[in-house]
Amino acid sequence: MTLPRCSRLPLAFELAPLLAALARVPADAWRHHFNTGYYEGDWSGVALITPDDALLPLAPGQGAPVRSAWWQGEPAWGALLALFQAQIRSARLLRLGSGSRIHEHCDPDLGLPDSDLRLHVPLLSPPGVEFLVDGLQVPMAAGECWFIDLARPHRVDNPSAGERIHLVLDCQRNDWLLERVQQGLAATPALQPGRAGRDFAAFRERVARDPALAARLQALSDARDFLQETVALGAERGLEFSEAEVRSAMRQGKQAWNDQWRV
């Protein structure tokens, strides 16, 4: 089965007991995410299940799953995890604080033929949060369950005043789980460009219509200068996007150039 970009699985969760359990997570249980070069602000988590070969509680692994002791008295987490008829190798509460962002990256370990499938169960998702994969926003709502192919480029932006918290599961793929992914496709909303992506598309249109603006960018031979100048010129025109949008467009342009020579 070729995995889709994403799928909203046909699974439903009662949100109230999960949020009550979340509120009882001790404040000192949250640990900063180990990929410190991937984010700005607060990206932290608490492990419910960790592979026994993981170097850190929040890190991935291929070993046997080990359930943490701290949540065993919380039936809400157990009830949710029991719905999955697949081995859950890891389960983590991941929090992206207000004003924080996860930079675009890929998780190549999730792109192998027998890789685990990563599922997201949003618990807190304030308006304005954007989870982008391939530059398209995944419209995840609290209480849903989504598979997302995170071997693809993805990033998250939380400009809101609240925290975004997801329960993130790595599950061994099996027929039951693959069938849920397939079933979910029919009801999965079409993905749309994110807020910054729309602004960048508008900026590109302006460049196409403005020879002077295009020449100003074409004169830049250094990639770093080009990225910074593009973002600055966009901001001058009221269009807010980041270097991530520019890099993504550059990558797609290179891919299109390479693809035209493939037989």
Side-chain angles (χ1 to χ4, degrees):
M1 173 184 175
T2 300
L3 294 173
R5 178 184 287 120
C6 63
S7 173
R8 185 173 63 185
L9 274 59
L11 297 173
F13 305 106
E14 190 178 354
L15 200 53
L18 294 171
L19 294 179
L22 179 64
R24 289 190 287 269
V25 175
D28 61 0
W30 296 90
R31 296 288 182 270
H32 293 299
H33 199 282
F34 57 91
N35 278 328
T36 54
Y38 279 19
Y39 66 94
E40 300 172 25
D42 171 34
W43 187 23
S44 53
V46 182
L48 281 72
I49 300 174
T50 303
D52 64 3
D53 60 346
L55 298 178
L56 296 166
L58 297 179
Q62 295 298 308
V66 178
R67 297 193 169 208
S68 304
W70 67 267
W71 60 274
Q72 297 306 314
E74 291 282 6
W77 303 126
L80 184 153
L81 298 175
L83 291 176
F84 293 88
Q85 298 175 34
Q87 185 177 64
I88 300 174
R89 201 188 304 271
S90 79
R92 302 167 291 168
L93 293 166
L94 293 180
R95 177 178 66 187
L96 188 64
S98 170
S100 303
R101 65 174 53 185
I102 302 171
H103 301 304
E104 184 168 84
H105 66 284
C106 300
D107 297 317
D109 57 313
L110 296 174
L112 304 175
D114 59 347
S115 297
D116 292 344
L117 302 188
R118 183 159 295 170
L119 308 178
H120 277 244
V121 178
L123 300 173
L124 296 176
S125 187
V129 171
E130 289 193 332
F131 191 120
L132 302 169
V133 58
D134 288 337
L136 301 172
Q137 184 178 2
V138 185
M140 291 184 279
E144 298 178 342
C145 180
W146 286 73
F147 160 75
I148 308 171
D149 179 4
L150 297 182
R152 301 168 183 255
H154 60 281
R155 59 192 177 90
V156 191
D157 187 18
N158 179 14
S160 78
E163 300 173 333
R164 186 219 71 157
I165 299 179
H166 287 191
L167 178 60
V168 179
L169 312 175
D170 285 354
C171 301
Q172 282 188 299
R173 65 176 72 193
N174 63 12
D175 290 344
W176 178 88
L177 187 52
L178 292 171
E179 186 176 345
R180 299 288 90 70
V181 171
Q182 186 65 35
Q183 288 177 346
L185 291 176
T188 299
L191 306 191
Q192 303 295 332
R195 177 181 54 252
R198 295 192 297 272
D199 274 8
F200 183 55
F203 178 75
R204 295 181 71 174
E205 291 177 1
R206 291 198 183 191
V207 173
R209 298 194 307 266
D210 186 339
L213 182 58
R216 186 169 171 180
L217 290 171
Q218 288 167 351
L220 298 170
S221 57
D222 181 84
R224 185 66 189 163
D225 291 344
F226 179 82
L227 289 168
Q228 292 178 343
E229 183 70 0
T230 303
V231 172
L233 290 172
E236 288 176 6
R237 290 155 178 79
L239 299 171
E240 300 293 335
F241 53 84
S242 70
E243 294 182 7
E245 279 73 36
V246 188
R247 282 195 294 268
S248 178
M250 294 167 68
R251 185 175 54 252
Q252 291 171 17
K254 181 179 180 181
Q255 184 67 46
W257 171 263
N258 292 335
D259 288 347
Q260 68 181 323
W261 307 114
R262 291 178 179 158
V263 178

